[in-house]
Amino acid sequence: MKLVASVTTCVLVALALTIGGEAQENVLTRVAPSMLECYESAQIFERDNRLPMTMNMLIELIRKVEDTPGFQQDIRQLAISMLHRFRQDGIVRAPGVTSMSGVIPFSPTEFQFTKHRVLFSRLLPGNAVNFPNATLSIDERCALHFMLSNSIDRRVRGDENIRCSQLSQYRAARVPRELDFKDRSRMRSNYLGDNEMLEQPEMDRIREHIKKIKHKASSAARLEMDPDEDHPNDEEEHPEATVEGDDEPQEEPIAAAGEDEETGEPLEEDGALGEIGDVSLVDIASNAISACPVENGVVYTPWGSVMVGTVLAGIAAGLEPQTVQLRDLMSRSDQYRSRQVQPMRVDNRWAATLSGDLAEVSLLHAPSVANNVQVGAAGAWNRTVAPRWYFLSQREHLQMTDTEIRAGIDGLLLATNIAEWRSRANNLRLSQVLDMYYSHRGVFNDTVRSCNRRDLFTTVAPMQQLREQTVAFSTVLDKEMQMPFTISQEAIINFSDQATDALANYIPSALNDLSCEATAIVMNDPTIWRTASDLYIFIDAAWPHRDAYSVVSNILDSLDVGRFGTNYTILNARDGNVIVNSTQFLSDFHMTYTPELHQSLPNGLNIPNVFRRMREETNNLMSTERRTNNLSGRSKLALMIVHTDRVSEGDTNFAIQHLQIFREEVPDLRFLYLAAGDPGRFNRFVRDERRDVFPLRELESGSIVDTVRVQLSPVIHRIQQEPRRIVNPRCGHDWVQENWGSNSMNQFVEPRGVNFYRLHPNYFFRQGENRRFRIQGHGFATLTVCHSRWVERPRQNSTENRDSIQCRTINTDAYDIDLSNACDGHSVIHTCPPLFVSVEGPLNPPAVIRCSEPQCRFPDNARFAVVLDNMGCFSSASRTVSSLLLATMLALVVALFKQS
């Protein structure tokens, strides 16, 4: 049997080597044809135009592919086809080559490509023939390419004196600027030619300038620094020369780095290095490598950024694991030498994750440092609100960065467990695995989740196995990689052991990612909070685009935007016109709300226009709910992001009057205000001034990320806490009920999750026979149902008004709440309290995972039904409108009388 297995493996590997290359274009020694579209257009390639590099965005794009009509690929097929379609490591720009017709100055020439080629031609074979390219736009396809493809851009950009002072343990050399170079646009942009970096003629001019300075005064600037040398007095260097009148702030990507992702603190400007407007030139002649290179293929998560291509490769390998003998991975000329060493086998799960990166350390770094092997390289984003630039804090020892370490652990954890998870949930989706792992809930438990990776490292990667796999893959890579030296097998074993030890020491001591507890939504509460809302965001264009974009980006990224959660619409606060149509995709905002669009919008707040638009939007929504027999299940919120505009007396009267109409016609609608200046000027325009009005200070460019997150935390929590509305869809927007009966909808809750609902008395004000609210269990799990008339978020373990909360557990049975005479003793609707209901999932996933329908966000969700029986439609909206019109007419008559 062993002989048969060995022969089979040989045949499979041989087939992959001979015919696989024809279909696997991502292992070619040039940019794959399907990826050229990402390099041919300046608009597409420009980094600041790309979709944000976040895990939420990646999950959204994968989910969009999975939701393609007729899409039939399972999780293994999709993972493989995505990697072969979009990942190609090691792509860097050719120095001195400009973009021209027929020439794309990019190719996979960096060291990462060798490992990539071995993995995808021999250990993760497949192709992207069946990938549904038409599902995604070119922006979305290229976003996936840049997210999945690993490389390091080491070229000097011209902004190092700002970036690197915040990131690095040492600083690049600084020289005074001359007047010719004060135009930052020639130093900042990111595309081919002079838009991406200074062209060769500019570099030559800088060299000449540097030579002149060195000749005139050698003390004017230190032109080169040894990165390994300690400079304790670096702060006392001579100050840089400044250019008078050149003090305007830098635009992206020269703007100050936003946030240190290990500590969560903003990276402050170093006064000794000059202000943002005082960018000095770097000595390109002697510092050919940037002191803080840009790492590509990195995706932001709150628990540390990861090289996401490695994570997907781990998933793909875990779904089709292979353990291949060395001789089957080597070319025929190398097989003789391989017989001289102890027989070894390569596990593709390890090669695709930790041991693959450690092999690069063993071969490219260890031989040059003599018993001082180093792994890890910290970095930070320019901003974690819509991040696009990830800067490394050092320019050497980059064979295994922090993002690769995290991804290696994550990928190996997922690879080790994915087969068992798939056996429990046959229809498990790739988006679901990432959504569960990179969240507080974890994959089917609260242990296997990204915030626990440090604790799980020693469990998933036993040292002996890590050493063996690193030696095995290093031996393979040694035969494939072009290196400036030749090393023996004994040296490979020694270097691999050193690299493994370095990693084992680095992870517990230096990988300082945020813990699960530190990032919990509510401290000491394991509950998983999910937001489901119809959210209308009105933007006052008086805010700078950067500020408005950052605020909205952060809000949307925190509110579960997608078909399982929040639907949003972006509108202008002045004229009420729609900016971004109602959507469930984050990408729509980022691709639509450009600086050019922002500049074209009118500034200010006009409450009458906002209210008229909201009345139109809510009328349309309620009419749709009637037509589709939809009980909603989403909260309804209008958020105004206002600058310093004040509200006139006339608009104030209009707002107060129309709030009464909204209260009658759309009782669930809540207005929230996020305002600069004194937010109290909007207190009269909300239901609860203590909860619905928030301050928003001007956002400072140097600390924008921290400022945005700190300031927006209260408003985000407020939106998360708003109960989901339940309505009688028979009422519509006109509150005319033509028939009576029962209405229902399916809802879902996950383990440790809870859904809060609210039913307004407008649907049960008067007495009615057999009027009830029911939660019907479907047997997916044991659920805890609570209700109250006074506590907005009733729970079984609540300490708030416990006497007014009633709870019971259900499984296949139902929880009924009688509303036949629920407003007895109340003469008007507004004095009758709503009904508040909560449905809470079990603490642990059920033994049998059943949720496989498209509406299931996760396979372990529990389905239940919300049922309304014989609800009514009670509103005095018509009387309110008539009285308001009468009051308006009387006021007009009085005004005319005074004028006469």
Side-chain angles (χ1 to χ4, degrees):
M1 287 297 292
K2 290 184 179 180
L3 178 61
V4 173
S6 178
V7 170
T8 302
T9 301
C10 291
V11 171
L12 289 174
V13 173
L15 285 173
L17 290 171
T18 55
I19 65 174
E22 297 293 327
Q24 296 172 215
E25 60 176 32
N26 69 330
V27 300
L28 301 175
T29 55
R30 57 189 56 82
V31 176
S34 62
M35 303 174 199
L36 284 175
E37 63 182 0
C38 304
Y39 299 86
E40 292 173 331
S41 165
Q43 179 70 19
I44 297 298
F45 184 83
E46 172 64 41
R47 193 181 296 263
D48 289 326
N49 292 339
R50 299 175 191 173
L51 293 174
M53 308 291 279
T54 66
M55 184 59 67
N56 281 346
M57 184 59 66
L58 174 65
I59 292 170
E60 176 178 295
L61 296 177
I62 294 174
R63 190 177 287 150
K64 185 176 286 190
V65 173
E66 294 169 336
D67 290 342
T68 304
F71 183 76
Q72 298 294 330
Q73 294 183 30
D74 61 19
I75 181 174
R76 181 191 66 81
Q77 293 167 327
L78 177 57
I80 286 290
S81 65
M82 277 190 62
L83 288 167
H84 282 276
R85 171 61 180 83
F86 296 109
R87 181 176 173 183
Q88 191 172 23
D89 293 345
I91 296 178
V92 292
R93 181 173 175 174
V97 179
T98 59
S99 179
M100 64 184 71
S101 178
V103 177
I104 301 295
F106 287 88
S107 186
T109 56
E110 272 284 280
F111 70 87
Q112 298 95 343
F113 180 68
T114 305
K115 180 188 70 176
H116 171 91
R117 186 180 62 223
V118 173
L119 284 175
F120 288 96
S121 63
R122 307 177 194 180
L123 292 170
L124 293 172
N127 59 65
V129 173
N130 295 321
F131 186 85
N133 288 291
T135 299
L136 304 175
S137 67
I138 184 173
D139 298 272
E140 293 168 331
R141 293 195 299 270
C142 291
L144 283 176
H145 168 58
F146 293 127
M147 285 180 182
L148 298 182
S149 302
N150 174 21
S151 64
I152 297 175
D153 186 352
R154 303 168 186 262
R155 294 170 301 129
V156 175
R157 299 178 303 277
D159 66 343
E160 277 75 6
N161 285 334
I162 292 176
R163 295 292 188 189
C164 307
S165 66
Q166 301 169 340
L167 297 169
S168 183
Q169 58 187 334
Y170 57 89
R171 291 173 173 85
R174 302 192 296 271
V175 298
R177 253 186 329 175
E178 62 181 359
L179 288 172
D180 289 346
F181 299 133
K182 71 179 182 180
D183 182 6
R184 294 183 193 84
S185 65
R186 300 165 67 182
M187 302 173 61
R188 66 167 291 274
S189 65
N190 170 37
Y191 185 61
L192 315 176
D194 59 0
N195 280 337
E196 182 172 19
M197 181 184 164
L198 299 175
E199 285 187 337
Q200 197 64 36
E202 291 283 49
M203 294 182 183
D204 293 338
R205 291 180 59 194
I206 295 172
R207 288 192 182 97
E208 291 301 318
H209 179 62
I210 292 171
K211 289 179 182 178
K212 291 178 183 178
I213 293 173
K214 292 173 69 175
H215 178 71
K216 291 179 180 179
S218 60
S219 62
R222 184 166 64 238
L223 295 176
E224 186 172 6
M225 291 178 62
D226 180 358
D228 296 322
E229 181 181 347
D230 187 20
H231 299 280
N233 298 320
D234 192 55
E235 294 291 341
E236 300 176 5
E237 288 183 9
H238 297 290
E240 300 172 339
T242 60
V243 179
E244 185 176 355
D246 187 23
D247 58 354
E248 69 272 14
Q250 277 290 351
E251 295 295 329
E252 294 272 311
I254 301 295
E259 184 179 27
D260 184 302
E261 76 170 6
E262 273 71 39
T263 64
E265 295 298 322
L267 295 172
E268 301 294 343
E269 292 296 333
D270 189 337
L273 298 173
E275 298 299 325
I276 293 177
D278 184 29
V279 181
S280 297
L281 298 177
V282 178
D283 182 355
I284 298 178
S286 57
N287 285 340
I289 297 177
S290 173
C292 49
V294 174
E295 189 172 23
N296 298 313
V298 182
V299 166
Y300 170 80
T301 83
W303 306 280
S305 297
V306 297
M307 192 69 63
V308 77
T310 299
V311 176
L312 292 193
I315 293 173
L319 291 166
E320 193 169 354
Q322 296 185 54
T323 304
V324 186
Q325 292 188 15
L326 248 61
R327 65 171 180 270
D328 298 326
L329 291 174
M330 295 181 176
S331 62
R332 185 167 298 177
S333 60
D334 290 320
Q335 287 185 8
Y336 175 76
R337 184 181 173 186
S338 70
R339 297 191 193 102
Q340 298 177 323
V341 300
Q342 183 179 356
M344 289 181 283
R345 304 174 73 90
V346 173
D347 187 322
N348 66 344
R349 295 171 297 182
W350 288 82
T353 56
L354 284 177
S355 67
D357 290 320
L358 282 173
E360 292 176 330
V361 176
S362 304
L363 298 177
L364 298 175
H365 169 59
S368 62
V369 293
N371 299 319
N372 187 27
V373 174
Q374 299 178 36
V375 299
W381 293 94
N382 61 326
R383 58 208 298 198
T384 52
V385 176
R388 295 180 177 92
W389 295 78
Y390 186 79
F391 299 95
L392 293 169
S393 62
Q394 61 196 61
R395 59 179 167 186
E396 291 189 343
H397 317 321
L398 303 179
Q399 288 77 20
M400 194 173 192
T401 63
D402 283 9
T403 65
E404 291 177 299
I405 293 173
R406 296 188 193 99
I409 301 172
D410 293 353
L412 188 58
L413 271 168
L414 296 172
T416 303
N417 292 282
I418 191 70
E420 190 269 332
W421 294 333
R422 193 184 181 196
S423 67
R424 294 182 62 191
N426 292 331
N427 296 317
L428 184 64
R429 289 182 160 203
L430 180 59
S431 62
Q432 292 173 329
V433 173
L434 297 175
D435 201 358
M436 288 188 286
Y437 183 76
Y438 292 99
S439 71
H440 281 98
R441 57 151 293 154
V443 188
F444 300 137
N445 58 57
D446 60 357
T447 300
V448 183
R449 49 181 176 166
S450 59
C451 54
N452 282 339
R453 68 167 67 90
R454 275 190 306 175
D455 297 332
L456 296 172
F457 167 66
T458 54
T459 302
V460 74
M463 285 301 296
Q464 185 57 35
Q465 192 173 5
L466 182 58
R467 293 179 194 276
E468 293 172 355
Q469 286 298 313
T470 301
V471 171
F473 195 69
S474 297
T475 304
V476 175
L477 211 56
D478 175 50
K479 311 304 182 295
E480 301 288 337
M481 185 174 288
Q482 184 70 35
M483 296 187 296
F485 41 75
T486 301
I487 57 179
S488 67
Q489 183 63 32
E490 291 74 17
I492 289 177
I493 296 173
N494 179 37
F495 294 147
S496 297
D497 288 347
Q498 291 183 40
T500 303
D501 291 339
L503 179 65
N505 292 328
Y506 184 85
I507 289 173
S509 62
L511 203 64
N512 298 319
D513 300 326
L514 293 175
S515 67
C516 302
E517 293 75 18
T519 53
I521 296 173
V522 179
M523 294 301 293
N524 302 317
D525 185 354
T527 303
I528 305 300
W529 296 73
R530 300 291 182 192
T531 309
S533 178
D534 288 310
L535 178 63
Y536 302 88
I537 301 177
F538 290 85
I539 299 176
D540 179 354
W543 287 99
H545 172 266
R546 176 188 174 101
D547 293 356
Y549 178 77
S550 297
V551 168
V552 177
S553 295
N554 183 261
I555 290 172
L556 295 180
D557 205 54
S558 305
L559 295 180
D560 292 301
V561 169
R563 64 183 180 88
F564 304 109
T566 295
N567 185 87
Y568 69 93
T569 310
I570 309 295
L571 309 100
N572 179 249
R574 182 70 181 180
D575 55 24
N577 289 339
V578 173
I579 301 172
V580 180
N581 288 322
S582 181
T583 180
Q584 296 175 340
F585 296 107
L586 290 167
S587 58
D588 289 341
F589 169 72
H590 294 289
M591 290 192 291
T592 302
Y593 195 68
T594 62
E596 294 74 20
L597 175 62
H598 179 85
Q599 290 297 323
S600 70
L601 300 173
N603 296 348
L605 169 69
N606 185 302
I607 282 189
N609 287 341
V610 168
F611 279 22
R612 291 187 191 102
R613 170 59 69 175
M614 277 309 302
R615 191 170 185 185
E616 179 182 338
E617 293 287 333
T618 53
N619 284 352
N620 292 337
L621 180 62
M622 295 174 76
S623 296
T624 301
E625 289 169 346
R626 171 188 276 171
R627 186 176 66 254
T628 59
N629 197 32
N630 184 4
L631 278 64
S632 180
R634 299 172 183 270
S635 61
K636 186 182 292 185
L637 297 155
L639 172 64
M640 257 65 72
I641 303 175
V642 188
H643 201 239
T644 55
D645 263 17
R646 303 196 70 84
V647 183
S648 67
E649 183 178 353
D651 286 354
T652 297
N653 293 332
F654 179 94
I656 292 173
Q657 293 170 358
H658 280 74
L659 281 173
Q660 297 180 42
I661 299 176
F662 277 120
R663 190 167 187 173
E664 295 289 347
E665 293 184 344
V666 197
D668 284 285
L669 177 63
R670 295 291 184 271
F671 285 93
L672 309 179
Y673 289 84
L674 186 60
D678 176 19
R681 65 190 189 272
F682 298 107
N683 285 353
R684 300 173 67 187
F685 308 148
V686 296
R687 299 280 187 95
D688 186 344
E689 63 185 57
R690 297 168 301 173
R691 300 179 60 206
D692 297 344
V693 179
F694 306 89
L696 182 62
R697 300 183 303 277
E698 293 284 347
L699 305 181
E700 302 165 357
S701 60
S703 58
I704 184 170
V705 173
D706 177 66
T707 302
V708 169
R709 294 194 181 281
V710 170
Q711 291 197 68
L712 295 185
S713 180
V715 71
I716 289 170
H717 289 169
R718 170 67 182 90
I719 295 172
Q720 290 173 330
Q721 292 171 355
E722 180 69 8
R724 307 180 189 200
R725 60 191 282 265
I726 299 295
V727 302
N728 177 6
R730 300 167 189 263
C731 299
H733 72 281
D734 55 9
W735 292 88
V736 176
Q737 186 171 9
E738 298 179 353
N739 50 58
W740 301 73
S742 179
N743 299 88
S744 67
M745 69 174 178
N746 285 332
Q747 292 279 277
F748 300 85
V749 65
E750 63 195 290
R752 293 189 292 123
V754 59
N755 296 350
F756 296 106
Y757 300 95
R758 178 176 57 213
L759 180 70
H760 268 282
N762 301 64
Y763 304 109
F764 56 83
F765 178 60
R766 293 177 184 163
Q767 185 175 359
E769 295 296 326
N770 299 319
R771 180 173 293 154
R772 64 186 176 188
F773 182 107
R774 167 180 288 184
I775 299 295
Q776 176 65 60
H778 287 169
F780 281 57
T782 298
L783 307 177
T784 301
V785 183
C786 299
H787 87 274
S788 174
R789 298 296 299 279
W790 306 103
V791 180
E792 189 175 66
R793 292 180 297 279
R795 299 184 68 177
Q796 191 169 45
N797 58 355
S798 175
T799 58
E800 177 188 8
N801 297 327
R802 294 191 62 179
D803 294 340
S804 65
I805 300 175
Q806 299 180 44
C807 300
R808 187 164 67 83
T809 59
I810 64 171
N811 194 294
T812 57
D813 49 335
Y815 184 99
D816 287 352
I817 304 168
D818 182 28
L819 298 173
S820 298
N821 200 19
C823 289
D824 187 29
H826 297 275
S827 58
V828 294
I829 294 176
H830 303 316
T831 64
C832 181
L835 171 68
F836 299 106
V837 178
S838 71
V839 180
E840 194 159 358
L843 290 177
N844 299 304
V848 179
I849 294 176
R850 298 173 50 191
C851 209
S852 59
E853 51 204 280
Q855 292 76 23
C856 299
R857 179 167 181 168
F858 304 113
D860 56 4
N861 277 11
R863 188 183 71 203
F864 60 93
V866 176
V867 184
L868 299 182
D869 288 332
N870 299 310
M871 292 293 165
C873 299
F874 307 104
S875 173
S876 56
S878 58
R879 294 195 299 273
T880 301
V881 173
S882 299
S883 61
L884 288 175
L885 288 174
L886 180 60
T888 303
M889 292 176 65
L890 289 174
L892 183 60
V893 170
V894 171
L896 291 173
F897 179 76
K898 288 182 178 180
Q899 290 178 357
S900 63

